[in-house]
């Protein structure tokens, strides 16, 4: 079915450098119009030289640089993603009664069953999945090995059993499984407090038996504005929305349009008439496009806006969507705290540290950017050199394509503010591949180029690193375990969300809090009845 | 490097300044000759830095670069970024370790620095000790509060004065502020006099008919304040928006937060001066301008764009607009920096200046420069910031490889042969469009037409660009 959709509309195949990408708009697959590659190239020729997005009648095109995996470089060529244009009003659910009688009235398990349907559709169409991976391979900045792993994780993320556990854990109250609150009004053993009006009016108001204390979690209309650093983010967003039987829009990021389109096709082909499909949209528009966002951010258009974004983007959404509850996943980063015990087992420690550093090739918010290492200068140099060697093994295991701008930034750092730092780089043909920089002074995170550069900060005591921990740090990986247990509460008090053993910073499981929130609980509306 | 070589460099500096003067006045000028002289000066500067600036010598050693007969290796491997001047440890300033700071700045300076830092507790004290040793540090403060210190010296500042008077004033006199008589006299003087006496003459005659208004603090050592400090004495009367000192310690506390009771006191004073008394300060400089009008004198206003905008908006809002005498002018530069939220289109700023002060756009001069270089580029009426032939501009691609061509976009850097006290081969943080060729204004050579601050890297973390965070 997914393949027949693709065949009918020539979707997700390559033709003259162009990939036709469908959207899902409230359950309907919307293919892009027929536009010849020459017409697209002409449109970009008319645009600014650095334009990445143009609009054409009924269509929009995103231009992404082609990556030569063999030569491990970004080429001068382009891949064009041809997508339909969108009409923002079409994305908004206005008939609230239809929602109440429709998707909101589905059994609590409907979301998990639906996810199982989607995963079956995808696993039944592995040639198409392979084709999408191949298309993604030509434009994704992720190393090929990590890209393949991301698609495996994508499938795993739609696992029905895990989804049920997530629902029961994240919406649980009073030791009652969360799915019950989503299914029905649930009586909880609450004891109403003394009510001033009732006390005052006791003399004149007829007595009535106390009503039971009932709570229910109702689905919401959600707009998810996702980020593309990790291709799984749109999938996580969809999972959260569908699991709560909610309805709404997934806005794909430029870096994960093809996996998002795969999800859209799976929904439309495997369960075209399912209420969750009929109220699901998967689309793209360039972030900040006023013509779209003015409509979607208007009061009453959605019940929740979920933004993964830069502070400016988040502030912009919050300012324009002042009357809609906004849930934000801010940019954060990970750090490691490595105690002096590491030098008894250095090779093992640096391999774990490298793994924590390379989560989504250092693009995820839990990837370690800075390693605070307890030791004297010679020990820290030893750590840096061992870590460099570990990163070199990753360079062989999962070769990355380093953009020219990253190499330029490394040059800027070496010839500027970090001229006196200790540089331990892996190079290929004299060019940066990965490495370690030992910085004795504070490091400005804005200077970090990503792409496998670990910043090592020597500290006399691990506790000295606490001063650098704040809400901006999502994850701290610590070695050894006893030091982690000793520091865990102090680190938590500074705003860090995850304090994990070294080598386990990528940890995720059903029901795990995210950025200090139990997210499903934020996405539903809690009602008293 | 021998004394003879340094003498040759100084001779070439004056020669380039003289060539820039001819260029500014649209007199017969051979760009190829200027290029050859500039190249020679830059190669001598390279030798000077290798011999006398420890940080540069180390980089040259690391890159295995010795004496050169071409600029290419310098451009490709020896240009530093402007961040070089903030490569000290913040901890040293936090801890008041000014011996360490002196050791660091000596690495970037061409003379050995041995100053006594006993009793030095603030950046300002430290700068005063450096000044006693003939160093003239100029600093700029980033939004994160990380200061950039450029260790200029007395001789270098004198060269800046000579250069500015020799090409900048003639350039402005030619088509922006001068009349036919002034132009003729300037041309004649340029032909007859060497740069130093030419500078003295122009300084003596040009600004005396102006009263200076500086939209800044009376005392301070940021790049803009340094320009103001150099320029102020030549005006017969001068007034400052803030008639006080902005100390480096206070400026650092603004961005990084106060650490001591003294910091808090300084911040309170700053708050009083710039916020509580803001309107009174605007009123005072507007009153001084009105005095100038009454006395039949022209006014020269110097400042950064957001201050200029605020002044004009205040004048209009409080019905205190003033019609300055014909010939009055504004010189602004420095960008919007951390005031990007207040940025308004250039045309709107011009209209504001006209409405509030009566100065037409032709007399509103916009300059572009960097704290680390010794020349200012002035935007002509055709929208080009012309690069005087004293310095060599280079545009880099995102990998920091130099680009060739007559119409380039990328990160701009400069090779500045006037810099002898510190390495003057600097890559900026600005993204520009640079064109080369004749301009309708009559000037030739490279010119910058568009300037924006280079994005500080891309997405970090799952969500997007982070703020400046100290890790």
């Amino acid at each position: 079915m997914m393949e027949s959709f693709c065949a009918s509309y020539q979707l997700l195949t390559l033709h003259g450098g162009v990939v036709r990408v469908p959207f899902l708009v409230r359950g309907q697959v919307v293919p892009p119009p027929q536009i010849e590659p020459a017409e697209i190239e002409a449109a970009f020729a008319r645009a600014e030289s650095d334009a990445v997005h143009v609009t054409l009648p009924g269509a929009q095109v995103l231009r992404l640089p082609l990556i030569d995996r063999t030569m491990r470089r970004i080429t001068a060529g382009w891949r064009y993603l041809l997508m339909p244009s969108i009409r923002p009003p079409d994305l908004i659910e206005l008939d609230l009664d239809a929602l109440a009688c429709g998707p909101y009235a589905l059994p609590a398990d409907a979301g998990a069953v639906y996810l199982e349907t989607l995963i079956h559709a995808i696993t039944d169409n592995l040639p198409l999945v392979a084709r999408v991976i191949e298309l993604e391979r030509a434009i994704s900045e992720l190393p090929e090995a990590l890209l393949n792993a991301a698609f495996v994780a994508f499938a795993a993320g739609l696992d029905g059993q895990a989804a049920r556990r997530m629902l029961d854990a994240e919406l649980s109250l009073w030791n009652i499984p969360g799915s019950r609150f989503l299914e029905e009004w649930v009586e909880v053993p609450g004891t109403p407090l003394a009510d001033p009006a009732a006390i005052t009016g006791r003399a004149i108001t007829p007595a009535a038996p106390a009503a039971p204390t009932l709570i229910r979690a109702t689905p919401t209309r959600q707009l998810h504005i996702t980020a593309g650093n990790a291709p799984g983010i749109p999938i996580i967003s969809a999972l959260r929305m569908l699991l709560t039987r909610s309805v709404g829009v997934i806005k794909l990021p430029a870096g994960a349009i093809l996996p998002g389109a795969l999800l859209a096709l799976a929904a439309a082909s495997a369960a075209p008439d399912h209420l969750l499909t009929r109220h699901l949209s998967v689309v793209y528009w360039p972030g900040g496009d006023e013509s779209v966002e003015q409509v979607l951010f208007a009061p009453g258009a959605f019940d929740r806006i979920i933004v993964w974004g830069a502070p400016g983007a988040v502030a912009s959404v919050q300012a324009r969507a002042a009357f809609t509850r906004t849930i934000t996943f801010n940019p954060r980063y990970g750090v490691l705290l490595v105690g002096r015990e590491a030098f008894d087992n250095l090779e093992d420690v640096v391999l774990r540290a490298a793994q924590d550093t390379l989560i989504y090739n250092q693009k995820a918010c839990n990837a370690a950017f800075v390693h605070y290492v307890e030791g004297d200068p010679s020990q820290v140099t030893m750590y840096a050199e061992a870590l460099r060697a570990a990163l070199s093994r990753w360079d062989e295991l999962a070769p990355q394509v380093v953009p020219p701008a990253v190499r330029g930034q490394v040059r800027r750092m070496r010839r500027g503010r970090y001229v006196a730092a200790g540089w331990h780089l892996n190079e290929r043909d004299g060019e940066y591949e990965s490495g370690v920089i030992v910085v004795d002074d504070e490091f400005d995170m804005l200077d970090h180029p990503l792409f496998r550069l670990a910043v090592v900060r020597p500290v006399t005591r691990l506790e000295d690193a606490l001063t650098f921990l704040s809400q901006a740090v999502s994850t701290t990986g610590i070695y050894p375990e006893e030091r982690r247990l000793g520091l865990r509460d102090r680190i938590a008090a500074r705003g860090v969300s995850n304090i994990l053993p070294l080598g386990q910073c990528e940890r995720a499981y059903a029901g795990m809090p995210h950025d200090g929130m139990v997210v499903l609980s934020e996405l539903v509306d809690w009602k008293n009845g | 490097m021998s004394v003879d070589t340094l003498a040759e460099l100084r001779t070439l500096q004056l020669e380039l300044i003289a060539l820039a003067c001819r260029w500014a006045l649209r007199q017969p000028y051979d760009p190829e000759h200027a290029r050859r002289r500039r190249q020679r000066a830059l190669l001598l500067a390279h030798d000077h830095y290798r011999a006398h600036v420890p940080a540069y010598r180390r980089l040259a050693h690391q890159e295995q670069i010795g004496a050169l007969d071409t600029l290419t290796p310098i451009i490709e491997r020896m240009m530093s970024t402007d961040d070089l001047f903030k490569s000290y440890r913040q901890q040293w300033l936090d801890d008041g370790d000014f011996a360490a700071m002196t050791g660091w700045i000596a690495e970037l300076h061409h003379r050995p620095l041995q100053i006594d830092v006993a009793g030095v507790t603030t950046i300002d004290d430290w700068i005063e000790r450096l000044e006693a040793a003939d160093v003239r540090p100029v600093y700029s403060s980033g939004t994160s509060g990380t200061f950039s210190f450029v260790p200029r010296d007395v001789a270098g500042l004198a060269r800046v004065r000579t250069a500015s008077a020799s090409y900048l004033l003639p350039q402005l006199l030619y088509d922006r502020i001068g009349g036919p008589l002034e132009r003729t006299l300037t041309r004649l003087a340029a032909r007859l006099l060497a740069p130093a006496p030419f500078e003295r003459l122009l300084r003596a005659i040009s600004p005396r008919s102006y009263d200076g208004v500086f939209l800044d603090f009376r005392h301070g050592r940021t790049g803009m304040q340094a320009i103001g400090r150099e320029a102020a004495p030549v005006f017969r009367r001068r007034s400052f928006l803030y008639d006080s000192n902005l100390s480096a310690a206070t400026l650092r506390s603004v961005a990084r937060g106060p650490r001591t009771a003294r910091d808090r006191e300084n911040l309170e004073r700053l708050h009083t001066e710039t916020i509580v008394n803001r309107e009174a300060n605007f009123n005072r400089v507007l009153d001084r301008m009105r005095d100038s009008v009454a006395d039949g004198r022209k006014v020269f206003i110097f400042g950064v764009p957001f201050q200029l905008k605020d002044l004009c908006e205040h004048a209009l809002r409080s019905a205190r607009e003033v019609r300055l005498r014909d010939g009055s002018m504004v010189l602004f530069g420095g960008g919007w920096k951390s005031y990007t939220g207040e940025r308004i289109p250039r045309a709107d700023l011009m209209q504001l200046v006209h409405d509030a002060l009566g100065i037409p756009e032709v007399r509103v001069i916009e300059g572009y420069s960097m704290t680390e270089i010794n020349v200012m580029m002035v935007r002509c009426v055709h929208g080009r910031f012309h690069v005087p032939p004293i310095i060599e501009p280079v545009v880099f691609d995102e990998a920091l490889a130099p680009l060739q061509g007559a119409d380039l976009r990328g990160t701009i850097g400069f090779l500045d042969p006037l810099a002898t006290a510190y390495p003057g081969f600097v890559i900026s943080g600005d993204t520009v469009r640079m064109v080369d060729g004749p301009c309708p204004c009559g000037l030739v050579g490279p010119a910058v037409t568009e300037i924006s601050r280079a994005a500080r890297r891309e997405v970090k973390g799952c969500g997007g660009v982070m703020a400046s965070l100290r890790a």
Side-chain angles (χ1 to χ4, degrees), chain A residues 111-169:
Chain A
V113 173
Y114 183 79
L115 289 172
E116 285 168 341
T117 308
L118 294 188
I119 194 63
H120 283 138
I122 289 168
T123 51
D124 287 348
N125 286 275
L126 288 179
L128 173 61
V129 175
R131 197 165 77 232
V132 169
I133 293 175
E134 190 59 25
L135 291 169
E136 189 69 14
R137 195 176 163 266
I139 51 175
S140 172
E141 284 188 342
L142 272 186
E144 192 165 356
L146 285 174
L147 182 66
N148 292 336
F151 271 84
V152 172
F154 162 80
L158 298 176
D159 173 60
Q161 284 308 318
R164 288 183 182 92
R165 282 197 297 274
M166 184 189 292
L167 200 61
D168 278 338

Side-chain angles (χ1 to χ4, degrees), chain A residues 229 411 441-443 447-448, chain B residues 90 399 456 459-461 470-471:
Chain A
N229 303 34
R411 288 195 181 104
D441 193 31
E442 60 191 40
F443 179 84
D447 291 330
H448 200 291
Chain B
Q90 290 300 312
R456 290 279 301 277
V459 175
K460 296 173 175 65
R470 298 189 285 269

Side-chain angles (χ1 to χ4, degrees), chain B residues 33-178:
Chain B
H33 171 68
R35 189 195 65 75
R36 285 196 303 272
R37 305 311 284 157
R38 192 167 57 242
Q39 173 167 318
R40 175 70 185 148
L42 290 167
L43 292 172
L44 289 170
H46 165 71
D47 289 340
H48 176 68
Y49 303 151
R50 266 196 320 125
H52 299 291
V53 180
Y56 191 89
R57 183 165 54 235
R58 215 169 24 249
L59 180 60
H61 179 74
Q62 180 187 310
E63 296 292 328
Q64 299 179 313
I65 289 178
L68 297 169
D69 55 8
T70 166
L71 295 179
T72 306
I74 295 175
I75 291 170
E76 290 180 346
R77 287 146 63 196
M78 293 300 297
M79 291 186 74
S80 310
T81 69
D82 49 359
D83 281 349
L84 177 68
F85 298 97
K86 44 177 100 152
S87 59
Y88 56 90
R89 293 189 198 174
Q90 290 300 312
Q91 194 69 40
W92 293 336
L93 288 183
D94 291 343
D95 297 346
D97 187 350
F98 290 99
M101 285 300 293
T102 306
W104 166 77
I105 206 166
E107 292 282 300
L108 299 173
H109 194 62
H110 71 148
R111 303 247 184 266
L113 288 178
Q114 287 174 334
I115 62 166
D116 178 11
V117 294
V120 170
T121 58
T122 67
I123 301 174
D124 306 274
D125 296 341
W126 177 59
I127 288 175
E128 279 173 21
R129 300 284 173 97
L130 287 169
E131 287 181 342
D134 272 357
V135 184
R136 293 289 181 272
V138 174
Y139 59 74
S140 60
S141 161
T143 50
S144 64
T146 304
F147 275 42
S148 160
F149 293 99
V150 181
R152 295 171 177 275
D153 63 4
V154 174
L157 285 178
R159 265 192 306 281
V160 175
R161 279 196 298 272
T162 304
S164 303
S166 301
Y167 81 88
L168 207 51
L169 273 175
Q171 189 179 342
L172 296 177
L173 280 169
Y174 184 86
D175 63 353
R176 306 296 282 276
I177 57 176

Side-chain angles (χ1 to χ4, degrees), chain B residues 299-347:
Chain B
V299 175
F300 175 100
I301 301 167
F302 179 80
V304 291
F306 77 89
Q307 292 282 27
L308 183 62
K309 168 180 167 264
D310 284 359
L311 171 74
C312 293
E313 285 179 340
H314 170 80
L316 292 170
R317 201 169 45 238
S318 56
R320 285 172 173 267
E321 57 267 44
V322 52
R323 306 297 299 175
L324 295 174
R325 284 186 61 83
D326 190 28
S328 294
M329 59 179 288
V330 172
L331 174 59
F332 75 97
W336 296 81
K337 299 217 184 314
S338 48
Y339 297 86
T340 47
E342 294 189 29
R343 181 189 288 274
I344 58 171
R346 181 186 162 81

Side-chain angles (χ1 to χ4, degrees), chain A residues 221-286:
Chain A
R221 295 171 301 157
Q222 300 169 10
L223 170 59
H224 290 256
I225 299 174
T226 64
N229 303 34
I233 290 176
I235 308 303
I236 292 170
S237 293
L239 168 75
R240 286 171 172 164
M241 185 163 86
L242 295 168
L243 197 52
T244 52
R245 293 172 315 169
S246 292
V247 300
V249 177
I250 306 292
K251 181 210 178 276
L252 299 172
I257 284 178
L258 296 179
L262 197 63
L263 178 75
L265 279 181
S269 59
D273 298 321
H274 197 291
L275 285 168
L276 292 179
T277 303
R278 280 160 50 189
H279 296 279
L280 171 66
S281 299
V282 182
V283 297
Y284 171 81
W285 70 87

